[in-house]
């Protein structure tokens, strides 16, 4: 049976991660000086390669399937609203993506290299070096990705695009990006100034909104939890 408290904490962490990396979703269209993927670049990709697209704060990942096709996990709120593939197969807009993250719904879909990269530079198999793990054979990697195509639950912390590609590439789904965020959050929690700041905010809420349960309980509970965690 799932623990409601753990689920609430998990949801809060995901929203914090979303807010802290909001620039990832608000990037505009690629500039005119950004060239589209060339024929030579496509020829340098091999079926089963991990394609990596650096963003402002996060990195997006996909598995190259060959023939200018990339399988990647994309949050998309439209998947929860319609089953019309003519609508859901269109390139996911920023608004659909953000609402999909909040709604925790996504799909592992196939797009062209251009649509996947969105004008950004592409790194190939960079995770092999950063994770220092032995990759599976490329064909097995591609087949794993193809078997997972379709709608899937989404979580910034527990099931994101990095979990998808590391599972396909190495056999185990991990996300160093999410791990790094959690480590940074631990540092903030352990800083006793966070306890003082939360206590002051709670006191200000009580003064402004009055002695109600929805102000008093958080004002006591949050600083206490931070104190104990620190």
């Amino acid at each position: 049976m799932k623990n409601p408290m753990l689920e609430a904490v998990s949801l809060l962490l995901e929203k914090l991660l979303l807010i802290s990396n909001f620039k990832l979703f608000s990037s505009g269209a690629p500039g005119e000086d950004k060239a589209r993927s060339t024929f030579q670049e496509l020829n340098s990709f091999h079926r089963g390669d991990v394609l990596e697209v650096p963003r402002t704060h996060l990195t997006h990942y996909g598995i190259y399937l060959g023939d200018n096709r990339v399988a990647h996990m994309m949050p998309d709120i439209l998947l929860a609203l319609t089953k019309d593939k003519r609508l859901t197969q269109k390139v996911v807009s920023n608004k659909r993506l953000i609402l999909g993250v909040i709604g925790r719904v996504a799909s592992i879909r196939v797009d062209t290299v251009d649509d996947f990269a969105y004008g950004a530079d592409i790194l190939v198999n960079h995770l092999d070096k950063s994770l220092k793990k032995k990759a599976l054979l490329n064909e097995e990697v591609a087949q794993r990705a193809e078997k997972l195509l379709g709608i899937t639950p989404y979580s910034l912390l527990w099931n994101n695009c990095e979990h998808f590609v590391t599972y396909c590439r190495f056999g185990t789904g991990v996300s160093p990006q999410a791990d790094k965020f959690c480590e940074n959050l631990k540092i903030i929690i352990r800083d006793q100034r966070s306890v003082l700041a939360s206590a002051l905010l709670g006191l200000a809420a009580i003064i402004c909104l009055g002695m109600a349960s929805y102000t008093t309980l958080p004002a006591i509970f949050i600083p206490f939890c931070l104190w104990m965690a620190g």
Side-chain angles (χ1 to χ4, degrees), residues 193-209 215-216 218-220 222-223 226:
R193 290 174 294 182
S194 300
V195 179
L196 178 60
S198 63
L200 291 176
L201 287 173
L203 181 60
I206 292 174
I207 294 173
C208 295
L209 302 175
T215 58
T216 307
I220 298 173
I222 295 175
L226 290 174

Side-chain angles (χ1 to χ4, degrees), residues 105-132:
V105 59
S107 70
I108 296 172
R109 54 181 287 149
V110 176
D111 285 307
T112 65
V113 171
D114 283 339
D115 289 338
F116 164 78
Y118 203 63
D121 295 329
I122 299 175
L123 300 177
V124 182
N125 296 330
H126 183 68
L127 281 175
D128 291 7
K129 296 180 180 179
S130 61
L131 292 182
K132 298 179 180 179

